[in-house]
Amino acid sequence: MDPQNTDTNTEAKMMMSHAKTLRLHTGNLVSRSCLKKKCPGSPSEELQDCIQATLSDWFSATKPTSKDFPDTLDCSVLQGTDAITPEEREELKVSAKLFLCESVQSSIRDAVEMACQTLAVSQLDSVIIAPPGPLEGDSQTLAHLQPAWEELEALVRSQKIAAIGTSDLDKDLLEQLYNWAQVKPSSNQVNLASCCVMPPDLTAFAKEFDIQLLTHNDPKELMSAATFQEAVKGGLQDLKDQDISDWRLEWVLRYSIIVKSRGIIKAKGYLVSARRASP
Protein backbone atom coordinates (compact mmCIF):
# COMPACT_ATOMS: atom_id res chain seq x y z
CA MET A 1 0.00 0.00 0.00
CA ASP A 2 1.22 3.47 -0.89
CA PRO A 3 2.07 5.28 2.40
CA GLN A 4 1.11 8.60 0.81
CA ASN A 5 -2.37 7.32 -0.04
CA THR A 6 -2.74 6.00 3.50
CA ASP A 7 -1.84 9.41 4.92
CA THR A 8 -4.26 11.13 2.53
CA ASN A 9 -7.10 8.80 3.50
CA THR A 10 -6.39 9.27 7.20
CA GLU A 11 -6.43 13.05 6.81
CA ALA A 12 -9.61 12.88 4.77
CA LYS A 13 -11.26 10.75 7.44
CA MET A 14 -10.26 13.23 10.16
CA MET A 15 -11.52 16.19 8.14
CA MET A 16 -14.86 14.49 7.49
CA SER A 17 -15.23 13.51 11.15
CA HIS A 18 -14.73 17.14 12.25
CA ALA A 19 -16.82 18.81 9.54
CA LYS A 20 -20.49 19.71 9.96
CA THR A 21 -21.16 20.87 6.39
CA LEU A 22 -19.88 19.73 3.02
CA ARG A 23 -20.09 22.00 -0.04
CA LEU A 24 -19.01 20.46 -3.33
CA HIS A 25 -18.56 21.81 -6.86
CA THR A 26 -17.86 19.27 -9.56
CA GLY A 27 -16.33 21.81 -11.91
CA ASN A 28 -17.16 21.92 -15.60
CA LEU A 29 -18.10 18.41 -16.71
CA VAL A 30 -17.61 19.41 -20.34
CA SER A 31 -13.87 19.79 -19.73
CA ARG A 32 -13.22 17.16 -17.02
CA SER A 33 -11.65 14.32 -18.97
CA CYS A 34 -12.16 11.70 -16.25
CA LEU A 35 -15.93 12.24 -16.39
CA LYS A 36 -16.28 12.92 -20.13
CA LYS A 37 -15.23 9.35 -20.89
CA LYS A 38 -18.12 7.96 -18.85
CA CYS A 39 -21.65 7.62 -20.17
CA PRO A 40 -23.91 7.43 -17.10
CA GLY A 41 -27.21 5.67 -17.51
CA SER A 42 -29.19 8.22 -15.51
CA PRO A 43 -28.89 11.65 -13.84
CA SER A 44 -28.52 9.84 -10.50
CA GLU A 45 -25.55 7.82 -11.78
CA GLU A 46 -23.96 10.95 -13.24
CA LEU A 47 -24.25 12.77 -9.92
CA GLN A 48 -22.85 9.81 -8.02
CA ASP A 49 -19.84 9.62 -10.36
CA CYS A 50 -19.30 13.37 -10.04
CA ILE A 51 -19.38 13.39 -6.23
CA GLN A 52 -17.02 10.44 -6.05
CA ALA A 53 -14.49 11.87 -8.53
CA THR A 54 -14.59 15.39 -7.06
CA LEU A 55 -14.03 14.23 -3.49
CA SER A 56 -11.20 11.94 -4.58
CA ASP A 57 -9.46 14.71 -6.55
CA TRP A 58 -9.96 17.36 -3.88
CA PHE A 59 -8.80 15.33 -0.91
CA SER A 60 -5.73 14.05 -2.77
CA ALA A 61 -4.70 17.66 -3.50
CA THR A 62 -5.59 19.15 -0.09
CA LYS A 63 -3.41 19.11 2.99
CA PRO A 64 -4.73 20.31 6.36
CA THR A 65 -2.78 23.37 7.49
CA SER A 66 -3.30 22.62 11.18
CA LYS A 67 -5.13 20.36 13.58
CA ASP A 68 -7.98 22.89 13.62
CA PHE A 69 -10.12 21.24 10.98
CA PRO A 70 -12.83 23.46 9.44
CA ASP A 71 -16.55 23.04 10.17
CA THR A 72 -17.30 23.48 6.47
CA LEU A 73 -15.43 21.61 3.75
CA ASP A 74 -15.50 23.45 0.42
CA CYS A 75 -14.54 20.82 -2.14
CA SER A 76 -14.04 22.03 -5.69
CA VAL A 77 -11.93 21.10 -8.69
CA LEU A 78 -10.27 24.32 -9.77
CA GLN A 79 -8.94 23.13 -13.10
CA GLY A 80 -12.43 22.19 -14.20
CA THR A 81 -14.14 25.41 -13.16
CA ASP A 82 -15.26 27.99 -15.70
CA ALA A 83 -16.12 31.31 -14.13
CA ILE A 84 -17.88 33.68 -16.51
CA THR A 85 -16.11 36.92 -17.41
CA PRO A 86 -18.11 40.19 -17.60
CA GLU A 87 -17.22 40.47 -21.31
CA GLU A 88 -18.91 37.17 -22.22
CA ARG A 89 -21.89 37.34 -19.85
CA GLU A 90 -24.32 38.81 -22.42
CA GLU A 91 -23.60 35.95 -24.83
CA LEU A 92 -24.36 33.23 -22.28
CA LYS A 93 -27.52 31.85 -20.69
CA VAL A 94 -27.10 30.41 -17.19
CA SER A 95 -29.85 27.94 -16.26
CA ALA A 96 -30.23 25.80 -13.15
CA LYS A 97 -32.46 23.14 -11.67
CA LEU A 98 -32.52 23.04 -7.89
CA PHE A 99 -33.37 19.74 -6.20
CA LEU A 100 -34.35 20.26 -2.57
CA CYS A 101 -33.76 17.19 -0.44
CA GLU A 102 -35.22 18.81 2.69
CA SER A 103 -38.00 21.34 3.24
CA VAL A 104 -35.70 24.12 4.39
CA GLN A 105 -36.41 27.37 2.56
CA SER A 106 -33.02 28.91 3.39
CA SER A 107 -31.50 26.19 1.20
CA ILE A 108 -32.90 27.94 -1.88
CA ARG A 109 -31.10 31.20 -1.16
CA ASP A 110 -27.93 29.33 -0.16
CA ALA A 111 -27.91 27.37 -3.41
CA VAL A 112 -28.52 30.42 -5.62
CA GLU A 113 -25.88 32.46 -3.77
CA MET A 114 -23.35 29.64 -4.15
CA ALA A 115 -24.13 29.30 -7.85
CA CYS A 116 -23.70 33.03 -8.48
CA GLN A 117 -20.46 33.10 -6.54
CA THR A 118 -19.07 29.95 -8.18
CA LEU A 119 -19.88 31.08 -11.72
CA ALA A 120 -18.96 34.74 -11.05
CA VAL A 121 -22.36 36.11 -12.10
CA SER A 122 -24.76 38.45 -10.33
CA GLN A 123 -27.88 36.74 -11.65
CA LEU A 124 -29.03 33.33 -12.91
CA ASP A 125 -31.18 33.53 -16.05
CA SER A 126 -33.56 30.80 -14.93
CA VAL A 127 -34.07 28.42 -12.02
CA ILE A 128 -36.44 25.45 -11.99
CA ILE A 129 -37.40 24.18 -8.55
CA ALA A 130 -37.85 20.50 -7.65
CA PRO A 131 -39.06 20.49 -4.02
CA PRO A 132 -38.97 17.32 -1.93
CA GLY A 133 -41.87 15.07 -2.74
CA PRO A 134 -44.91 14.85 -0.46
CA LEU A 135 -45.18 12.10 2.14
CA GLU A 136 -46.08 8.69 0.81
CA GLY A 137 -49.77 8.48 0.09
CA ASP A 138 -50.14 12.26 -0.18
CA SER A 139 -50.38 14.22 -3.41
CA GLN A 140 -48.53 17.43 -4.19
CA THR A 141 -50.59 20.52 -3.37
CA LEU A 142 -50.32 24.27 -3.74
CA ALA A 143 -49.69 24.56 0.01
CA HIS A 144 -46.76 22.20 -0.43
CA LEU A 145 -45.26 24.44 -3.15
CA GLN A 146 -45.94 27.87 -1.71
CA PRO A 147 -43.03 28.26 0.77
CA ALA A 148 -40.40 27.41 -1.84
CA TRP A 149 -42.08 29.60 -4.47
CA GLU A 150 -42.18 32.59 -2.11
CA GLU A 151 -38.43 32.23 -1.57
CA LEU A 152 -37.88 32.13 -5.34
CA GLU A 153 -40.04 35.23 -5.76
CA ALA A 154 -37.88 37.09 -3.23
CA LEU A 155 -34.78 36.15 -5.24
CA VAL A 156 -36.42 37.45 -8.42
CA ARG A 157 -37.20 40.76 -6.68
CA SER A 158 -33.59 41.02 -5.50
CA GLN A 159 -32.48 40.31 -9.09
CA LYS A 160 -30.62 37.11 -8.23
CA ILE A 161 -32.85 35.18 -10.67
CA ALA A 162 -34.49 36.45 -13.87
CA ALA A 163 -37.11 33.70 -14.41
CA ILE A 164 -38.44 30.83 -12.29
CA GLY A 165 -40.05 27.56 -13.27
CA THR A 166 -41.62 24.39 -11.91
CA SER A 167 -41.30 20.67 -12.42
CA ASP A 168 -43.89 17.92 -12.88
CA LEU A 169 -47.03 19.98 -12.27
CA ASP A 170 -50.23 18.86 -13.95
CA LYS A 171 -52.58 21.41 -15.48
CA ASP A 172 -54.70 21.91 -12.35
CA LEU A 173 -51.76 22.48 -9.99
CA LEU A 174 -49.93 24.68 -12.50
CA GLU A 175 -53.08 26.79 -12.86
CA GLN A 176 -53.43 27.08 -9.07
CA LEU A 177 -49.82 28.19 -8.76
CA TYR A 178 -50.15 30.64 -11.64
CA ASN A 179 -53.25 32.27 -10.17
CA TRP A 180 -51.75 32.53 -6.68
CA ALA A 181 -48.17 33.54 -7.50
CA GLN A 182 -46.98 37.14 -7.71
CA VAL A 183 -44.10 36.10 -9.97
CA LYS A 184 -45.61 33.75 -12.54
CA PRO A 185 -43.88 30.49 -13.56
CA SER A 186 -42.16 30.91 -16.92
CA SER A 187 -41.70 27.16 -17.50
CA ASN A 188 -42.85 23.72 -16.35
CA GLN A 189 -40.85 20.54 -16.83
CA VAL A 190 -42.66 17.32 -17.71
CA ASN A 191 -41.13 13.89 -17.14
CA LEU A 192 -41.54 11.89 -20.33
CA ALA A 193 -41.03 8.64 -18.44
CA SER A 194 -44.51 9.07 -16.96
CA CYS A 195 -45.98 10.97 -19.90
CA CYS A 196 -44.80 10.16 -23.43
CA VAL A 197 -47.11 12.81 -24.93
CA MET A 198 -47.82 16.23 -23.43
CA PRO A 199 -51.35 16.28 -21.93
CA PRO A 200 -53.59 18.44 -24.17
CA ASP A 201 -55.04 20.41 -21.24
CA LEU A 202 -51.56 21.24 -19.95
CA THR A 203 -50.40 22.22 -23.44
CA ALA A 204 -53.41 24.50 -23.96
CA PHE A 205 -53.00 26.21 -20.58
CA ALA A 206 -49.25 26.72 -21.07
CA LYS A 207 -49.81 28.20 -24.52
CA GLU A 208 -52.51 30.59 -23.28
CA PHE A 209 -50.33 31.95 -20.48
CA ASP A 210 -46.97 31.80 -22.25
CA ILE A 211 -45.47 29.08 -20.07
CA GLN A 212 -42.73 27.06 -21.75
CA LEU A 213 -43.14 23.28 -21.47
CA LEU A 214 -39.85 21.39 -21.19
CA THR A 215 -39.04 17.70 -20.84
CA HIS A 216 -36.71 15.93 -18.42
CA ASN A 217 -35.71 12.44 -17.30
CA ASP A 218 -34.85 13.09 -13.64
CA PRO A 219 -36.14 10.58 -11.08
CA LYS A 220 -38.50 11.73 -8.31
CA GLU A 221 -35.61 11.40 -5.85
CA LEU A 222 -32.39 12.47 -7.55
CA MET A 223 -30.20 10.82 -4.92
CA SER A 224 -31.08 8.85 -1.79
CA ALA A 225 -29.15 9.21 1.46
CA ALA A 226 -27.69 5.73 0.98
CA THR A 227 -26.48 6.50 -2.55
CA PHE A 228 -24.92 9.78 -1.40
CA GLN A 229 -23.05 7.97 1.38
CA GLU A 230 -21.90 5.35 -1.13
CA ALA A 231 -20.54 8.12 -3.39
CA VAL A 232 -18.64 9.68 -0.48
CA LYS A 233 -17.17 6.31 0.44
CA GLY A 234 -16.14 5.80 -3.18
CA GLY A 235 -14.27 9.11 -3.18
CA LEU A 236 -12.66 8.50 0.21
CA GLN A 237 -11.86 4.83 0.19
CA ASP A 238 -10.77 4.51 3.82
CA LEU A 239 -14.13 5.62 5.23
CA LYS A 240 -16.49 3.14 6.84
CA ASP A 241 -20.28 3.22 7.07
CA GLN A 242 -20.23 4.59 10.62
CA ASP A 243 -18.02 7.50 9.50
CA ILE A 244 -20.71 8.93 7.21
CA SER A 245 -23.98 7.38 8.39
CA ASP A 246 -25.20 10.70 9.82
CA TRP A 247 -24.53 12.75 6.65
CA ARG A 248 -27.55 13.98 4.70
CA LEU A 249 -27.97 15.83 1.41
CA GLU A 250 -29.55 19.28 1.76
CA TRP A 251 -29.76 20.25 -1.90
CA VAL A 252 -28.30 19.66 -5.35
CA LEU A 253 -28.11 22.38 -8.02
CA ARG A 254 -27.40 21.32 -11.61
CA TYR A 255 -26.40 24.18 -13.87
CA SER A 256 -25.71 24.65 -17.56
CA ILE A 257 -24.13 27.56 -19.41
CA ILE A 258 -25.25 27.85 -23.02
CA VAL A 259 -23.84 30.06 -25.78
CA LYS A 260 -26.99 31.84 -26.98
CA SER A 261 -25.94 32.44 -30.59
CA ARG A 262 -24.84 28.85 -31.21
CA GLY A 263 -27.03 26.87 -28.84
CA ILE A 264 -24.11 24.82 -27.53
CA ILE A 265 -23.29 23.94 -23.92
CA LYS A 266 -20.15 25.75 -22.78
CA ALA A 267 -20.23 24.34 -19.28
CA LYS A 268 -22.34 22.19 -17.00
CA GLY A 269 -21.89 20.88 -13.50
CA TYR A 270 -23.31 20.26 -10.05
CA LEU A 271 -23.20 22.12 -6.76
CA VAL A 272 -23.97 19.97 -3.74
CA SER A 273 -24.59 20.76 -0.09
CA ALA A 274 -24.71 18.16 2.66
CA ARG A 275 -24.70 18.38 6.43
CA ARG A 276 -24.12 16.16 9.39
CA ALA A 277 -27.39 15.42 11.18
CA SER A 278 -27.60 16.73 14.72
CA PRO A 279 -27.40 13.97 17.34
Side-chain angles (χ1 to χ4, degrees):
M1 182 178 290
D2 187 342
Q4 186 173 356
N5 284 342
T6 302
D7 291 343
T8 298
N9 286 340
T10 301
E11 289 167 352
K13 183 176 179 180
M14 292 179 68
M15 292 175 78
M16 284 294 293
S17 66
H18 282 80
K20 296 177 181 177
T21 303
L22 173 68
R23 295 291 176 94
L24 182 144
H25 176 214
T26 61
N28 182 5
L29 305 185
V30 174
S31 61
R32 284 193 72 183
S33 57
C34 64
L35 292 168
K36 280 169 65 178
K37 295 175 184 175
K38 294 193 173 186
C39 185
S42 69
S44 297
E45 289 178 21
E46 179 181 64
L47 178 58
Q48 186 174 359
D49 289 344
C50 289
I51 291 173
Q52 184 170 319
T54 301
L55 284 174
S56 178
D57 291 350
W58 188 81
F59 275 110
S60 65
T62 301
K63 301 297 178 187
T65 55
S66 69
K67 295 300 180 184
D68 296 326
F69 296 107
D71 285 344
T72 299
L73 295 181
D74 289 304
C75 304
S76 61
V77 183
L78 294 177
Q79 67 269 28
T81 302
D82 272 350
I84 297 172
T85 65
E87 293 76 22
E88 63 183 349
R89 180 64 182 96
E90 284 298 314
E91 299 300 318
L92 302 174
K93 179 180 180 181
V94 184
S95 303
K97 184 172 183 178
L98 176 57
F99 302 86
L100 294 179
C101 305
E102 299 178 348
S103 297
V104 180
Q105 304 319 313
S106 60
S107 294
I108 298 173
R109 184 170 294 274
D110 289 345
V112 171
E113 293 280 2
M114 185 175 172
C116 289
Q117 183 177 8
T118 300
L119 303 175
V121 297
S122 61
Q123 183 185 65
L124 304 180
D125 293 300
S126 69
V127 173
I128 288 173
I129 190 78
L135 296 175
E136 191 170 348
D138 293 342
S139 58
Q140 190 164 236
T141 64
L142 179 61
H144 178 248
L145 291 171
Q146 284 172 328
W149 197 260
E150 287 175 332
E151 188 66 28
L152 287 174
E153 290 180 326
L155 289 165
V156 171
R157 286 191 287 270
S158 64
Q159 299 185 335
K160 284 290 182 182
I161 307 173
I164 49 181
T166 57
S167 181
D168 299 317
L169 301 194
D170 60 19
K171 182 263 180 183
D172 290 343
L173 190 49
L174 182 60
E175 183 175 9
Q176 290 175 38
L177 177 65
Y178 187 92
N179 291 334
W180 167 82
Q182 294 184 1
V183 180
K184 307 300 183 183
S186 64
S187 61
N188 180 46
Q189 282 192 337
V190 178
N191 191 330
L192 289 186
S194 59
C195 169
C196 55
V197 178
M198 291 286 184
D201 60 343
L202 179 62
T203 302
F205 179 81
K207 183 177 181 180
E208 180 180 356
F209 293 97
D210 196 25
I211 299 172
Q212 186 179 16
L213 292 182
L214 307 169
T215 59
H216 75 94
N217 65 336
D218 299 313
K220 286 187 176 180
E221 184 180 43
L222 183 63
M223 175 168 279
S224 67
T227 304
F228 171 68
Q229 291 164 10
E230 184 180 330
V232 174
K233 279 200 302 179
L236 309 172
Q237 296 171 2
D238 199 34
L239 290 180
K240 297 180 173 59
D241 287 344
Q242 60 265 31
D243 296 326
I244 54 170
S245 61
D246 53 353
W247 280 92
R248 298 289 183 270
L249 271 175
E250 288 185 295
W251 52 262
V252 175
L253 183 144
R254 183 178 65 213
Y255 67 86
S256 61
I257 302 172
I258 297 172
V259 181
K260 294 178 183 177
S261 59
R262 299 164 64 193
I264 62 170
I265 297 176
K266 180 178 187 291
K268 65 177 182 179
Y270 290 92
L271 300 174
V272 177
S273 180
R275 64 175 177 82
R276 186 187 296 278
S278 301

